[in-house]
Amino acid sequence: MPFMKQRPSEISETEFMVTYGVIYEHSPWIAKGAWEAKDSGNLDTLQGLHNAMKKAVADGSDEAKMRLICAHPDLAGKLAISGELTEESKSEQAGAGLDRCTPEEFEEFQSLNAVYKTKFGFPFIVAVKGMDRTEILAHFRARINNDRETEFATALEQIDRIAFFRLSDLAE
């Protein structure tokens, strides 16, 4: 049974890209990779489409993966303050209460964002769905002590989780 009203494998490439090109933040190349592999897998189930998109990420170069990671906004960062987040990120951050930080929480997010980006060269990424501000800060505090290789891999895992949640939201 397809997870969408219209099977992803049966729509045009243009429709596919419009619908699924936004799943990975500012990275439509991932949907393109899934579309190009549509004959080798099942895009018509939530898990099948997610797996195809995850494979496109995994098959990407380290440079493409770094661009994907860097396409994500800081949590409770400048883009959130100025209202420049994608609709998906805005909804996810608001759902975790990041738009209602206390001044102390906001200051800690700003500080952790700066330290993390200096240490690793990319933004801290966590799939915030189902989490609140205190849980996110706890993850942030713990992960800032990891090495770069661990954080690079963790960021990609978290991005895949975010994509799964976004695909789930599209499902009926």
Side-chain angles (χ1 to χ4, degrees), residues 97-159:
L98 295 180
D99 58 342
R100 297 180 301 283
C101 287
T102 66
E104 296 79 17
E105 290 169 333
F106 181 76
E107 186 176 312
E108 185 172 10
F109 270 111
Q110 299 312 300
S111 175
L112 287 168
N113 279 327
V115 171
Y116 188 95
K117 284 173 95 171
T118 298
K119 181 175 181 179
F120 298 112
F122 50 84
F124 174 79
I125 299 172
V126 65
V128 299
K129 189 167 189 155
M131 298 173 77
D132 64 26
R133 298 184 308 271
T134 56
E135 291 171 301
I136 295 165
L137 281 169
H139 281 272
F140 217 147
R141 291 181 203 115
R143 285 179 42 199
I144 207 156
N145 295 312
N146 288 338
D147 61 78
R148 188 176 190 283
E149 185 178 321
T150 299
E151 276 307 297
F152 190 85
T154 301
L156 292 171
E157 290 168 9
Q158 290 297 308
I159 289 168

Side-chain angles (χ1 to χ4, degrees), residues 13 16 26-27 41 45 63 88 97 131 147 151 158-159 167:
E13 180 178 357
F16 186 89
H26 301 294
S27 301
T45 65
E63 182 180 307
E88 294 82 6
M131 298 173 77
D147 61 78
E151 276 307 297
Q158 290 297 308
I159 289 168
L167 285 170

